């Protein structure tokens, strides 16, 4: 018979078992108690006043139109309001990631885009790392589907809005929502007025009016303007040298921001330069070593002088004038995304990924999640925040849980650009297998934690050692350097006192240089004091 040791000898073991049981039990209890359905309430569909809507959606971009489509399909009365008339342009890189492609397929929009030759699926693509390692591969045959496609927003948004309209949503174009937006709490009804005096009423309000969201700001849910920014310019088909579908460039001077080229239908190119909020002052517009003021210079220098981008552009690209738009990343500036009778979605809620600057797919996923929750609320008759909170739970599960890690990732590659070189090194070694993993993580098909899995992290660790060896010991020359003319411009910019962009040194190296300079000055002062005191 097995003899158990006396209790006193096993105290540690029992304590560990008790803690494990308590933590496990706590988690199970939390999961069991977690609310999964809206509560019952008084506002069932039969109580809706004549002429009122179940849901009023402000903004018919990807988030608002997708929400309207699924709500209308589910039988709700929906008003979809937009200040513009469609088709209208939206400044964007036009790269639509896989989760959005799936939603567009469900809505029948992909078929329409294909038939009209307005979409190009990215069969091959890749990236260029800060030290100039590059890889262009074919991830599609590994993934079985394209990781992204490119569609001009002027073509995409009109089709998504019309799909919502066909599903039964009441699309009101040229309806600019003004300051008069009020909730009658007793009646459970919003009244929304346009700037020219038209009025709609409804049980729920969905703010989907984009990154500067006037609505969420005036209602007090958004407390700061968006801090990220990106440029865009189209390049006429046939006037460039790009022989790939999509390529991302990480020049070290604008990290964690990056430049990207996507090929559209009819051989046209879309070029964007993203500046991603990062650093101690990210809340006030710091984007690594850059600010929004640097965008125009970076964009134009990249097209003319960047060793990789200018090669893809060719000698005479027919390039349109640069335009820019703001990026609200990782929920920046938002106090909440739900309240009584209210939901905030898409860019208005800061659904842009803090590492990639992309937000069409999260806008659509968020729009669909909002519709699912609101249909359940409508059936239960409750639109209080005790029920609408299910929406925040849902978008956090879908993609929001990734935002913190994306933010950390952006911070890391800004401080240690060699990490991106290590990724490029490993992609070069493994080829398309690794490229497809990279593409899946960057397009939200897999969470960022995927990079922490041992089978991914260990090879990346070895790649990092290889890069340290080659860059620090073997002194491999940096291949991502600007030619002299552009460098001079960057130096003038640095002298003028603005944050340095375009320099080839990393923040860590700059700090080391500053420390050395301070030490030298201190030694000089000490020598001076010593000389005065007659010690030398
Ligand atoms: C330069 C740039 C490049 C980008 N590149 C990419 C990319 O390549 N891939 C990607 O996934 N994401 C990209 N993004 C992000 C992407 O554009 C957004 O995440 C996406 O458009 C969010 O959709 P949305 O429906 O939330 O908002 P929006 O698309 O901004 O739609 C908001 C709608 O609300 C309407 N509206 C605003 N105010 C009112 C009002 N008062 N009354 C009525 N209507 C109103 C507007 O007219 C608009 O139609 C980029 C962004 C920028 C700025």
């Amino acid at each position: 018979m097995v003899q158990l040791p006396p209790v006193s000898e096993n105290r540690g073991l029992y304590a560990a078992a008790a803690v494990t049981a308590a933590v496990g039990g706590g988690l199970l209890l939390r999961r069991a108690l977690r609310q999964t359905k809206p509560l019952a309430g008084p506002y069932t569909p039969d109580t809706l006043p004549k002429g009122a809507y179940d849901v009023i959606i402000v903004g018919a971009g990807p988030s608002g139109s997708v929400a309207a489509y699924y709500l209308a399909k589910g039988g709700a009365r929906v008003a979809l309001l937009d200040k513009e008339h469609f088709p209208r342009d939206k400044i964007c890189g036009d790269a639509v990631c896989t989760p959005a492609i799936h939603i567009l397929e469900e809505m029948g929009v992909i078929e329409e885009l294909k038939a009209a030759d307005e979409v190009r699926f990215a069969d091959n693509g890749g990236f260029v790392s800060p030290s100039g390692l590059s890889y262009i591969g074919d991830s599609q045959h590994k993934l079985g589907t394209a990781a992204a496609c490119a569609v001009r927003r002027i073509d995409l948004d009109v089709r998504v809005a019309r799909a919502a309209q066909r599903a039964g949503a009441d699309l009101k174009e040229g309806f600019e929502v003004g300051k008069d937006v009020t909730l009658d709490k007793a009646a459970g009804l919003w009244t929304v007025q346009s700037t020219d005096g038209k009025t709609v009423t409804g049980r729920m309000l969905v703010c989907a009016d984009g990154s500067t969201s006037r609505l969420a700001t005036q209602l007090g849910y958004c407390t700061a303007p968006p801090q990220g920014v990106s440029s865009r310019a189209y390049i006429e088909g046939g006037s460039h040298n790009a022989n790939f579908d999509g390529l991302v460039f990480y020049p070290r001077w604008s990290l964690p921001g990056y430049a990207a080229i996507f090929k559209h239908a009819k051989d046209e190119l879309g070029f964007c330069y993203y500046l991603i909020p990062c650093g101690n002052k990210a809340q006030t517009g710091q984007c690594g070593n850059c600010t929004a003021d640097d965008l125009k210079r970076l964009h134009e220098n990249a097209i003319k002088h960047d060793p990789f981008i200018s090669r893809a552009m060719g000698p005479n690209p027919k390039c349109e004038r640069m335009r820019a738009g703001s990026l609200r990343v990782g929920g920046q500036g938002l106090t909440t995304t739900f309240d009584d009778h209210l939901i905030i979605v898409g860019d208005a809620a800061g659904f842009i990924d803090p590492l990639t600057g992309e937000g069409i797919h999260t806008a659509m996923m968020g729009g669909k999640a909002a519709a699912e929750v609101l249909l359940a609320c409508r059936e239960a008759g409750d639109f209080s925040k005790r029920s609408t909170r299910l929406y925040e739970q849902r978008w956090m599960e879908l993609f929001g849980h990734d935002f913190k890690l994306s933010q950390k990732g952006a911070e890391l590659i800004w401080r240690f650009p060699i990490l991106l070189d290590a990724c490029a090194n490993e992609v070069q070694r493994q080829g398309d297998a690794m490229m497809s993993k990279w593409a899946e993580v960057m397009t939200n098909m897999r969470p960022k934690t995927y990079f922490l899995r041992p089978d991914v992290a260990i090879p990346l660790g070895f790649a990092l050692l290889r890069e340290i060896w080659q860059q620090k010991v073997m002194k491999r020359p940096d291949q991502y350097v600007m030619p002299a003319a552009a460098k001079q411009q960057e130096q003038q910019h640095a002298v003028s006192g603005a944050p340095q962009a375009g320099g080839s040194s990393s923040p860590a190296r700059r700090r080391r240089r500053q420390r050395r300079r301070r030490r030298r000055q201190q030694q000089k002062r000490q020598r001076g004091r010593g000389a005065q005191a007659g010690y030398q």
Side-chain angles (χ1 to χ4, degrees):
M1 205 174 109
V2 181
Q3 280 284 317
L4 285 175
V7 172
S8 58
E9 284 178 27
N10 249 354
R11 224 172 251 158
L13 204 66
Y14 289 137
V19 169
T20 313
V23 171
L27 285 176
L28 280 177
L29 192 68
R30 227 179 95 178
R31 187 162 265 232
L33 291 179
R34 205 175 68 162
Q35 188 188 339
T36 53
K37 281 198 300 195
L39 307 174
Y43 302 121
T44 45
D46 50 310
T47 62
L48 192 69
K50 203 161 171 264
Y53 294 90
D54 290 300
V55 185
I56 302 169
I57 301 175
V58 179
S63 58
S65 292
V66 166
Y69 172 86
Y70 286 101
L71 278 162
K73 280 261 163 198
R77 286 206 67 208
V78 188
L80 177 60
L81 318 177
D82 204 288
K83 63 180 181 183
E84 304 282 348
H85 289 269
F86 288 89
R88 62 102 180 90
D89 192 15
K90 150 80 176 81
I91 309 301
C92 184
D94 308 332
V96 180
C97 302
T98 320
I101 297 177
H102 292 330
I103 291 176
L104 292 170
E105 274 166 355
E106 270 178 20
M107 295 174 74
V109 172
I110 284 287
E111 282 311 311
E112 287 179 29
L113 291 166
K114 279 185 190 164
D117 192 18
E118 289 169 353
V119 58
R120 183 179 182 113
F121 287 87
D123 292 335
N124 61 70
F127 66 99
V128 183
S129 80
S131 75
L133 298 184
S134 61
Y135 185 86
I136 299 182
D138 175 359
S139 51
Q140 185 171 14
H141 79 263
K142 286 274 169 205
L143 298 173
T145 170
C149 66
V151 196
R152 271 173 167 252
R153 289 292 296 275
I154 195 167
D155 299 324
L156 177 70
D157 289 16
V158 62
R159 293 197 183 277
V160 182
R162 297 272 178 258
Q165 199 174 22
R166 278 196 303 274
D170 185 4
L171 173 64
K172 293 181 189 294
E173 298 174 61
F175 192 115
E176 179 169 8
V177 173
K179 287 208 171 86
D180 286 325
V181 179
T182 46
L183 172 65
D184 177 344
K185 284 201 172 162
L189 271 184
W190 284 95
T191 302
V192 174
Q193 206 174 70
S194 70
T195 45
D196 57 0
K198 286 172 271 179
T199 300
V200 288
T201 53
R203 286 260 180 257
M204 271 296 302
L205 181 66
V206 176
C207 302
D209 53 342
S211 62
T212 49
S213 186
R214 197 163 79 185
L215 192 53
T217 307
Q218 82 191 35
L219 293 173
Y221 299 105
C222 180
T223 55
Q227 300 299 349
V229 65
S230 174
S231 66
R232 185 204 71 189
Y234 288 124
I235 293 103
E236 211 176 286
S239 75
H240 56 79
N241 277 348
N243 56 0
F244 49 80
D245 292 326
L247 202 50
V248 172
F249 308 83
Y250 291 102
R252 73 178 74 237
W253 43 89
S254 48
L255 287 173
Y258 65 93
I261 297 178
F262 270 95
K263 196 178 272 183
H264 286 255
K266 304 180 188 96
D267 195 46
E268 186 181 49
L269 293 186
F271 173 66
C272 286
Y273 212 119
Y274 298 81
L275 294 182
I276 309 273
C278 176
N280 296 338
K281 294 185 186 152
Q283 296 301 324
T284 53
Q286 182 191 0
C287 299
N289 293 345
C290 306
T291 66
D293 294 342
D294 298 313
L295 186 65
K296 191 166 189 296
R297 194 192 71 259
L298 288 166
H299 177 101
E300 286 171 0
N301 270 351
I303 293 175
K304 286 191 207 132
H305 306 296
D306 182 289
F308 296 95
I309 297 170
S310 63
R311 205 184 309 156
M313 293 288 174
N316 295 308
K318 286 194 182 144
C319 196
E320 71 163 20
R321 189 174 58 86
M322 176 198 117
R323 298 172 73 192
S326 56
L327 305 170
R328 186 184 290 285
V329 307
Q332 176 248 318
L334 266 290
T335 53
T336 181
T337 60
F338 67 95
D339 202 347
D340 292 333
H341 296 258
L342 178 123
I343 271 178
I344 308 173
V345 70
D347 274 14
F351 281 176
I352 292 190
D353 186 289
L355 183 61
T356 65
E358 300 198 320
I360 298 174
H361 60 298
T362 43
M364 290 188 177
M365 290 158 92
K368 189 174 174 185
E372 285 164 357
V373 169
L374 290 183
L375 285 172
C377 289
R378 177 174 175 265
E379 205 178 306
D382 184 54
F383 296 96
S384 73
K385 61 181 168 205
R386 296 169 312 164
S387 294
T388 55
R389 69 202 286 264
L390 288 172
Y391 159 69
E392 192 160 289
Q393 208 169 292
R394 185 87 187 100
W395 72 255
M396 280 300 285
E397 279 166 9
L398 284 170
F399 53 83
H401 61 92
D402 235 22
F403 284 168
K404 274 224 165 77
L405 214 59
S406 285
Q407 242 146 15
K408 288 264 174 280
E411 194 84 25
L412 271 176
I413 61 171
W414 170 50
R415 291 188 188 283
F416 308 105
I418 198 168
L419 292 174
L420 279 172
D421 294 322
C423 292
N425 184 310
E426 187 56 17
V427 172
Q428 283 185 341
R429 195 180 70 83
Q430 283 193 36
D432 289 347
M434 183 68 191
M435 189 63 225
S436 53
K437 287 178 193 163
W438 172 271
E440 280 186 303
V441 173
M442 290 301 171
T443 55
N444 276 111
M445 289 301 285
R446 287 181 190 273
K448 305 285 181 307
T449 45
Y450 186 68
F451 281 135
L452 304 177
R453 273 174 43 161
D455 59 324
V456 182
I458 292 171
L460 281 177
F462 281 114
L464 180 60
L465 292 178
R466 285 198 298 276
E467 274 303 304
I468 292 174
W469 172 260
Q470 285 172 11
Q471 290 187 25
K472 309 286 175 198
V473 182
M474 303 305 288
K475 304 283 178 207
R476 187 184 70 205
D478 189 350
Q479 291 170 50
Y480 211 142
V481 278
M482 283 291 223
K487 236 183 185 169
Q488 209 177 353
Q489 208 186 344
E490 297 299 356
Q491 274 159 6
Q492 277 166 5
H493 170 73
V495 170
S496 75
Q500 187 175 354
S504 62
S505 62
S506 70
R509 214 178 301 159
R510 235 188 349 268
R511 275 198 301 276
R512 275 203 299 277
R513 240 189 351 243
Q514 278 169 355
R515 270 204 300 274
R516 273 204 300 273
R517 199 177 309 138
R518 271 202 299 273
R519 218 176 303 137
R520 272 202 304 273
Q521 282 168 352
Q522 210 176 352
Q523 283 166 355
K524 223 167 162 184
R525 274 199 300 274
Q526 278 170 354
R527 272 205 301 275
R529 271 204 296 273
Q532 278 165 13
Y535 292 133
Q536 281 185 345

